[in-house]
Each structure stands twice: as C-alpha cells, then as structure tokens.
Amino acid sequence: MLDTHPYFAFDGSSATSPIDTGTGDMAGGTWPTDACNRWATGLNNSRSNFGVTIAGEFSNGINDCGLFLRGTAGVGITYGGNCADWQDSSNWSDGTKAGLLKFAMASMDAFGDWFFWTWKVDVPPARVFAHHEKSMKIGNSTAGIVESPLWSYQLGLRNGWMPTDPRTALGTCASLGASGSDFDGEFQPWQTGGVGAGTIAPSSTANFPWPPATISNVEAPGNQLPTYTPTGTIVSLAPPTLTASATTSVDVGNGYYYIDHLSAFNPSTAQQPSPLPFSESDRSDSAK
C-alpha cells in the first residue's frame, strides 16, 4: 500500500487566491478545481500501475495558518495574508464556508480513499494546560476556540463546511470539468498479495542497487554500513493468556496472521456503510 499526504498548506505558496466567491456553483474560486487537477490523476495512476494508494492525511488547509501548525512561534509561515482571518471561524462568511465545503468535496473525490486530519481539535479547560502542555494536539487554544479550524472535521460538520455524508463528493471533479485518468475500481491480484505479488522486474531495480553506493547526509560509503541479512526466523509476538470460562472459549491464534484472501478484494462489491456516516451525536463534544 502506498500512503501519500497531499497538502496545499505546505507547498510554500502565498495561497492568496480567494475562496470566498459566493455560495453558488462558483463557490471556492479556483481551489476545488486545483485540488482535482493536482491530485486525481496521480492517485488513480498509482492505483492502476502500483496498487492500493490512499491519501493518509489531508485537511482543508489551503494555507499554513493555524495555532502551532508551523511551530509555537509561527516560524516559516508562507501565507501572504493575515493568519488571524483563518484562526477564528466565527468570523467566516457563508461564502467562505461554501468555498471550503466545495474544496473538501473536490479533495475527497480526487483522492478516492482518504483520512482527514483530523477529526477533532480540542479546546481543553484552562487547568489542563498546567499539566499537559507538552502533549497538546494541534490547535489547542487558551482563547477558548479552535484556532486551527481548517483542520477540524467536527467543527466543519457543525458549521457547514464539511459534508455530513462524504460519499456525496463522488463526481465533484467531473462537475468542475477537471480532466485526468480514472481508476476502474478493481485491483489486479499481484497488487493485493495474489499471484505475482512481490516480484519486481529487473528493469525497475537496476537503478537501485543494494546496498546503495551513497546515502544522503552519511559520510561513509553505503557498502561500509551495517546491514541486516534475511538469515533468521520470523519472530512472532506470543498470543495473550486468557482466563478460562466455563461457557466460552476463544481461539487466540499463534501470534502470526497472514491475510491470504486479499487477491479477491474488489471495492465495488465491498459491504456498503450506513446511509449517513455522521449523525447529530457526532456534532457534539462527546463524540470521539
């Protein structure tokens, strides 16, 4: 599996193109189309030519504004505007929210398979700061608000710039006229552990000899560095010991589990989730 973390926030641009362009079809300005054009083709080509490919992290971060996002002192921020505008969502217009929603939907459609970073940005009570300052997550604020709102799915869900059902994002890129390659939804056996998996064509490895001749920031030649050799046996973590029950038994296995049925994996026949992934309870602080 290939995991990529695509972000606009860290591409070094000033990111001043407007996203508040109204609430209609043109919501989001160029940002939604940019998301489709930048990411869809690359991920779909990877699925076709390599195998399972996901966006393991992404956010609504069209810029690098956010409390602690670039460090506690804000060193290295490249946004060309005022970051204060993006750290308090209570001031956002309906057009800004509509633009962010369109951008989120375009990103989801472009990625196909993804994890949003992150579900929830906490705002802890003041007493927490004295004891857990070093363990605080992105955006925890003494101001009593989420100061990294572009990175909170829950906050966007509450306030209208994240979708209740992410599956409605399907087709967003096509509706924007974005062009690029598609993925037919089926992986080949060699891409999911079946026949041919693990076989790499010599033409693909010719330029990457092992050990490598040089390694970045290492002064010694690659062939002088210590290496592991595949001469040992596989070490398996021992299974747990459970308390016996008079009525129920559990097979704890042997500590090693190999999935040998992935070659039959077909996303189009996978069990479908419930119609509404997010409910009203998900909008509350009690949701985890």
Side-chain angles (χ1 to χ4, degrees), residues 257-284:
Y257 181 58
Y258 173 71
I259 301 176
D260 60 1
H261 58 271
L262 284 179
S263 60
F265 175 70
N266 183 339
S268 65
T269 60
Q271 182 178 354
Q272 296 298 309
S274 59
L276 293 176
F278 296 115
S279 64
E280 287 299 323
S281 62
D282 293 321
R283 303 170 187 264
S284 70

mmCIF file of all heavy atoms in Angstrom, residues 257-284:
data_model
loop_
_atom_site.group_PDB
_atom_site.id
_atom_site.type_symbol
_atom_site.label_atom_id
_atom_site.label_comp_id
_atom_site.label_asym_id
_atom_site.label_seq_id
_atom_site.Cartn_x
_atom_site.Cartn_y
_atom_site.Cartn_z
ATOM 1 N N TYR A 257 -0.430 -13.777 11.772
ATOM 2 C CA TYR A 257 -1.637 -13.814 10.957
ATOM 3 C C TYR A 257 -1.316 -13.279 9.575
ATOM 4 O O TYR A 257 -0.782 -12.178 9.428
ATOM 5 C CB TYR A 257 -2.738 -12.965 11.583
ATOM 6 C CG TYR A 257 -4.039 -12.963 10.807
ATOM 7 C CD1 TYR A 257 -4.716 -14.164 10.551
ATOM 8 C CD2 TYR A 257 -4.582 -11.787 10.328
ATOM 9 C CE1 TYR A 257 -5.904 -14.170 9.841
ATOM 10 C CE2 TYR A 257 -5.776 -11.784 9.604
ATOM 11 C CZ TYR A 257 -6.426 -12.985 9.376
ATOM 12 O OH TYR A 257 -7.601 -12.991 8.663
ATOM 13 N N TYR A 258 -1.613 -14.050 8.569
ATOM 14 C CA TYR A 258 -1.361 -13.643 7.198
ATOM 15 C C TYR A 258 -2.669 -13.624 6.420
ATOM 16 O O TYR A 258 -3.374 -14.638 6.369
ATOM 17 C CB TYR A 258 -0.376 -14.600 6.526
ATOM 18 C CG TYR A 258 -0.193 -14.329 5.037
ATOM 19 C CD1 TYR A 258 0.497 -13.196 4.618
ATOM 20 C CD2 TYR A 258 -0.712 -15.188 4.087
ATOM 21 C CE1 TYR A 258 0.668 -12.925 3.276
ATOM 22 C CE2 TYR A 258 -0.551 -14.921 2.727
ATOM 23 C CZ TYR A 258 0.143 -13.787 2.330
ATOM 24 O OH TYR A 258 0.308 -13.525 1.009
ATOM 25 N N ILE A 259 -2.981 -12.498 5.873
ATOM 26 C CA ILE A 259 -4.216 -12.387 5.090
ATOM 27 C C ILE A 259 -3.943 -12.905 3.687
ATOM 28 O O ILE A 259 -3.202 -12.289 2.927
ATOM 29 C CB ILE A 259 -4.700 -10.925 5.043
ATOM 30 C CG1 ILE A 259 -4.964 -10.406 6.462
ATOM 31 C CG2 ILE A 259 -5.944 -10.794 4.178
ATOM 32 C CD1 ILE A 259 -5.357 -8.959 6.509
ATOM 33 N N ASP A 260 -4.525 -14.053 3.356
ATOM 34 C CA ASP A 260 -4.269 -14.644 2.052
ATOM 35 C C ASP A 260 -5.440 -14.497 1.094
ATOM 36 O O ASP A 260 -5.471 -15.107 0.029
ATOM 37 C CB ASP A 260 -3.914 -16.131 2.196
ATOM 38 C CG ASP A 260 -5.033 -16.925 2.859
ATOM 39 O OD1 ASP A 260 -6.068 -16.319 3.185
ATOM 40 O OD2 ASP A 260 -4.862 -18.143 3.033
ATOM 41 N N HIS A 261 -6.428 -13.680 1.487
ATOM 42 C CA HIS A 261 -7.597 -13.553 0.627
ATOM 43 C C HIS A 261 -7.712 -12.180 -0.018
ATOM 44 O O HIS A 261 -8.714 -11.875 -0.651
ATOM 45 C CB HIS A 261 -8.874 -13.827 1.439
ATOM 46 C CG HIS A 261 -9.030 -12.915 2.616
ATOM 47 N ND1 HIS A 261 -8.508 -13.206 3.847
ATOM 48 C CD2 HIS A 261 -9.624 -11.712 2.726
ATOM 49 C CE1 HIS A 261 -8.796 -12.233 4.684
ATOM 50 N NE2 HIS A 261 -9.459 -11.306 4.028
ATOM 51 N N LEU A 262 -6.670 -11.361 0.096
ATOM 52 C CA LEU A 262 -6.760 -10.021 -0.455
ATOM 53 C C LEU A 262 -6.798 -10.017 -1.980
ATOM 54 O O LEU A 262 -7.227 -9.056 -2.593
ATOM 55 C CB LEU A 262 -5.579 -9.174 0.016
ATOM 56 C CG LEU A 262 -5.671 -8.679 1.470
ATOM 57 C CD1 LEU A 262 -4.435 -7.874 1.810
ATOM 58 C CD2 LEU A 262 -6.917 -7.844 1.676
ATOM 59 N N SER A 263 -6.320 -11.105 -2.595
ATOM 60 C CA SER A 263 -6.331 -11.137 -4.059
ATOM 61 C C SER A 263 -7.749 -11.090 -4.598
ATOM 62 O O SER A 263 -7.977 -10.761 -5.758
ATOM 63 C CB SER A 263 -5.633 -12.403 -4.562
ATOM 64 O OG SER A 263 -6.291 -13.558 -4.074
ATOM 65 N N ALA A 264 -8.714 -11.421 -3.754
ATOM 66 C CA ALA A 264 -10.110 -11.405 -4.197
ATOM 67 C C ALA A 264 -10.786 -10.078 -3.870
ATOM 68 O O ALA A 264 -11.976 -9.916 -4.091
ATOM 69 C CB ALA A 264 -10.885 -12.546 -3.539
ATOM 70 N N PHE A 265 -10.000 -9.122 -3.347
ATOM 71 C CA PHE A 265 -10.584 -7.857 -2.915
ATOM 72 C C PHE A 265 -11.103 -7.069 -4.109
ATOM 73 O O PHE A 265 -10.422 -6.879 -5.100
ATOM 74 C CB PHE A 265 -9.546 -7.019 -2.170
ATOM 75 C CG PHE A 265 -10.034 -5.647 -1.799
ATOM 76 C CD1 PHE A 265 -11.003 -5.483 -0.829
ATOM 77 C CD2 PHE A 265 -9.521 -4.530 -2.433
ATOM 78 C CE1 PHE A 265 -11.457 -4.235 -0.490
ATOM 79 C CE2 PHE A 265 -9.967 -3.272 -2.097
ATOM 80 C CZ PHE A 265 -10.929 -3.123 -1.122
ATOM 81 N N ASN A 266 -12.317 -6.610 -4.015
ATOM 82 C CA ASN A 266 -12.913 -5.795 -5.065
ATOM 83 C C ASN A 266 -13.749 -4.715 -4.403
ATOM 84 O O ASN A 266 -14.777 -5.008 -3.808
ATOM 85 C CB ASN A 266 -13.799 -6.647 -5.985
ATOM 86 C CG ASN A 266 -14.369 -5.832 -7.132
ATOM 87 O OD1 ASN A 266 -14.440 -4.616 -7.074
ATOM 88 N ND2 ASN A 266 -14.770 -6.522 -8.187
ATOM 89 N N PRO A 267 -13.285 -3.452 -4.432
ATOM 90 C CA PRO A 267 -14.014 -2.389 -3.739
ATOM 91 C C PRO A 267 -15.469 -2.276 -4.158
ATOM 92 O O PRO A 267 -16.325 -1.882 -3.384
ATOM 93 C CB PRO A 267 -13.222 -1.127 -4.130
ATOM 94 C CG PRO A 267 -11.872 -1.627 -4.507
ATOM 95 C CD PRO A 267 -12.090 -2.986 -5.115
ATOM 96 N N SER A 268 -15.773 -2.640 -5.409
ATOM 97 C CA SER A 268 -17.138 -2.457 -5.886
ATOM 98 C C SER A 268 -18.124 -3.418 -5.248
ATOM 99 O O SER A 268 -19.331 -3.185 -5.261
ATOM 100 C CB SER A 268 -17.173 -2.633 -7.410
ATOM 101 O OG SER A 268 -16.833 -3.966 -7.767
ATOM 102 N N THR A 269 -17.622 -4.518 -4.664
ATOM 103 C CA THR A 269 -18.512 -5.484 -4.027
ATOM 104 C C THR A 269 -18.409 -5.463 -2.514
ATOM 105 O O THR A 269 -18.985 -6.294 -1.837
ATOM 106 C CB THR A 269 -18.202 -6.908 -4.526
ATOM 107 O OG1 THR A 269 -16.833 -7.236 -4.202
ATOM 108 C CG2 THR A 269 -18.397 -7.010 -6.027
ATOM 109 N N ALA A 270 -17.618 -4.511 -1.972
ATOM 110 C CA ALA A 270 -17.463 -4.430 -0.520
ATOM 111 C C ALA A 270 -18.769 -4.014 0.127
ATOM 112 O O ALA A 270 -19.616 -3.355 -0.488
ATOM 113 C CB ALA A 270 -16.367 -3.418 -0.169
ATOM 114 N N GLN A 271 -18.939 -4.419 1.391
ATOM 115 C CA GLN A 271 -20.166 -4.067 2.101
ATOM 116 C C GLN A 271 -20.280 -2.560 2.240
ATOM 117 O O GLN A 271 -19.325 -1.885 2.598
ATOM 118 C CB GLN A 271 -20.168 -4.716 3.485
ATOM 119 C CG GLN A 271 -21.451 -4.423 4.271
ATOM 120 C CD GLN A 271 -21.447 -5.114 5.618
ATOM 121 O OE1 GLN A 271 -20.544 -5.887 5.925
ATOM 122 N NE2 GLN A 271 -22.444 -4.835 6.410
ATOM 123 N N GLN A 272 -21.443 -2.034 1.940
ATOM 124 C CA GLN A 272 -21.632 -0.596 1.978
ATOM 125 C C GLN A 272 -21.934 -0.130 3.404
ATOM 126 O O GLN A 272 -22.602 -0.817 4.165
ATOM 127 C CB GLN A 272 -22.786 -0.194 1.050
ATOM 128 C CG GLN A 272 -22.504 -0.486 -0.408
ATOM 129 C CD GLN A 272 -21.306 0.286 -0.903
ATOM 130 O OE1 GLN A 272 -21.220 1.495 -0.726
ATOM 131 N NE2 GLN A 272 -20.355 -0.415 -1.506
ATOM 132 N N PRO A 273 -21.444 1.084 3.764
ATOM 133 C CA PRO A 273 -21.726 1.615 5.101
ATOM 134 C C PRO A 273 -23.148 2.119 5.209
ATOM 135 O O PRO A 273 -23.901 2.117 4.244
ATOM 136 C CB PRO A 273 -20.721 2.776 5.219
ATOM 137 C CG PRO A 273 -20.509 3.206 3.803
ATOM 138 C CD PRO A 273 -20.594 1.949 2.975
ATOM 139 N N SER A 274 -23.516 2.547 6.390
ATOM 140 C CA SER A 274 -24.853 3.067 6.614
ATOM 141 C C SER A 274 -25.054 4.345 5.810
ATOM 142 O O SER A 274 -24.099 5.024 5.464
ATOM 143 C CB SER A 274 -25.054 3.361 8.108
ATOM 144 O OG SER A 274 -24.094 4.297 8.552
ATOM 145 N N PRO A 275 -26.303 4.699 5.501
ATOM 146 C CA PRO A 275 -26.559 5.854 4.633
ATOM 147 C C PRO A 275 -25.992 7.165 5.145
ATOM 148 O O PRO A 275 -25.578 7.987 4.371
ATOM 149 C CB PRO A 275 -28.086 5.898 4.563
ATOM 150 C CG PRO A 275 -28.519 4.503 4.857
ATOM 151 C CD PRO A 275 -27.521 3.975 5.844
ATOM 152 N N LEU A 276 -25.974 7.365 6.452
ATOM 153 C CA LEU A 276 -25.480 8.612 6.997
ATOM 154 C C LEU A 276 -24.322 8.364 7.944
ATOM 155 O O LEU A 276 -24.517 8.043 9.113
ATOM 156 C CB LEU A 276 -26.608 9.351 7.733
ATOM 157 C CG LEU A 276 -27.743 9.870 6.855
ATOM 158 C CD1 LEU A 276 -28.818 10.491 7.722
ATOM 159 C CD2 LEU A 276 -27.217 10.871 5.842
ATOM 160 N N PRO A 277 -23.086 8.510 7.453
ATOM 161 C CA PRO A 277 -21.927 8.255 8.306
ATOM 162 C C PRO A 277 -21.886 9.127 9.540
ATOM 163 O O PRO A 277 -21.366 8.714 10.571
ATOM 164 C CB PRO A 277 -20.764 8.583 7.367
ATOM 165 C CG PRO A 277 -21.307 8.395 6.002
ATOM 166 C CD PRO A 277 -22.732 8.842 6.086
ATOM 167 N N PHE A 278 -22.424 10.356 9.462
ATOM 168 C CA PHE A 278 -22.387 11.246 10.610
ATOM 169 C C PHE A 278 -23.795 11.569 11.061
ATOM 170 O O PHE A 278 -24.653 11.916 10.253
ATOM 171 C CB PHE A 278 -21.643 12.535 10.266
ATOM 172 C CG PHE A 278 -20.205 12.334 9.949
ATOM 173 C CD1 PHE A 278 -19.711 12.597 8.687
ATOM 174 C CD2 PHE A 278 -19.336 11.847 10.911
ATOM 175 C CE1 PHE A 278 -18.378 12.402 8.387
ATOM 176 C CE2 PHE A 278 -18.002 11.650 10.624
ATOM 177 C CZ PHE A 278 -17.524 11.924 9.362
ATOM 178 N N SER A 279 -24.036 11.452 12.335
ATOM 179 C CA SER A 279 -25.335 11.763 12.905
ATOM 180 C C SER A 279 -25.226 13.013 13.764
ATOM 181 O O SER A 279 -24.154 13.581 13.937
ATOM 182 C CB SER A 279 -25.819 10.586 13.761
ATOM 183 O OG SER A 279 -24.943 10.394 14.863
ATOM 184 N N GLU A 280 -26.346 13.411 14.332
ATOM 185 C CA GLU A 280 -26.338 14.595 15.185
ATOM 186 C C GLU A 280 -25.404 14.433 16.368
ATOM 187 O O GLU A 280 -24.771 15.390 16.808
ATOM 188 C CB GLU A 280 -27.761 14.899 15.666
ATOM 189 C CG GLU A 280 -28.670 15.465 14.590
ATOM 190 C CD GLU A 280 -28.156 16.781 14.038
ATOM 191 O OE1 GLU A 280 -27.618 17.580 14.827
ATOM 192 O OE2 GLU A 280 -28.273 17.010 12.826
ATOM 193 N N SER A 281 -25.292 13.200 16.886
ATOM 194 C CA SER A 281 -24.423 12.992 18.051
ATOM 195 C C SER A 281 -22.982 13.235 17.708
ATOM 196 O O SER A 281 -22.171 13.580 18.565
ATOM 197 C CB SER A 281 -24.606 11.569 18.598
ATOM 198 O OG SER A 281 -24.228 10.612 17.632
ATOM 199 N N ASP A 282 -22.602 13.072 16.427
ATOM 200 C CA ASP A 282 -21.227 13.288 16.026
ATOM 201 C C ASP A 282 -20.829 14.754 16.118
ATOM 202 O O ASP A 282 -19.647 15.081 16.113
ATOM 203 C CB ASP A 282 -20.999 12.805 14.593
ATOM 204 C CG ASP A 282 -21.124 11.312 14.465
ATOM 205 O OD1 ASP A 282 -20.659 10.622 15.376
ATOM 206 O OD2 ASP A 282 -21.702 10.839 13.471
ATOM 207 N N ARG A 283 -21.821 15.624 16.142
ATOM 208 C CA ARG A 283 -21.538 17.049 16.181
ATOM 209 C C ARG A 283 -21.238 17.535 17.612
ATOM 210 O O ARG A 283 -20.830 18.668 17.808
ATOM 211 C CB ARG A 283 -22.713 17.846 15.618
ATOM 212 C CG ARG A 283 -23.092 17.455 14.195
ATOM 213 C CD ARG A 283 -24.407 18.094 13.788
ATOM 214 N NE ARG A 283 -24.871 17.608 12.515
ATOM 215 C CZ ARG A 283 -24.665 18.201 11.355
ATOM 216 N NH1 ARG A 283 -23.992 19.318 11.329
ATOM 217 N NH2 ARG A 283 -25.139 17.703 10.230
ATOM 218 N N SER A 284 -21.465 16.680 18.589
ATOM 219 C CA SER A 284 -21.301 17.095 19.980
ATOM 220 C C SER A 284 -19.900 16.875 20.477
ATOM 221 O O SER A 284 -19.125 16.127 19.894
ATOM 222 C CB SER A 284 -22.289 16.342 20.874
ATOM 223 O OG SER A 284 -21.925 14.977 20.965
#
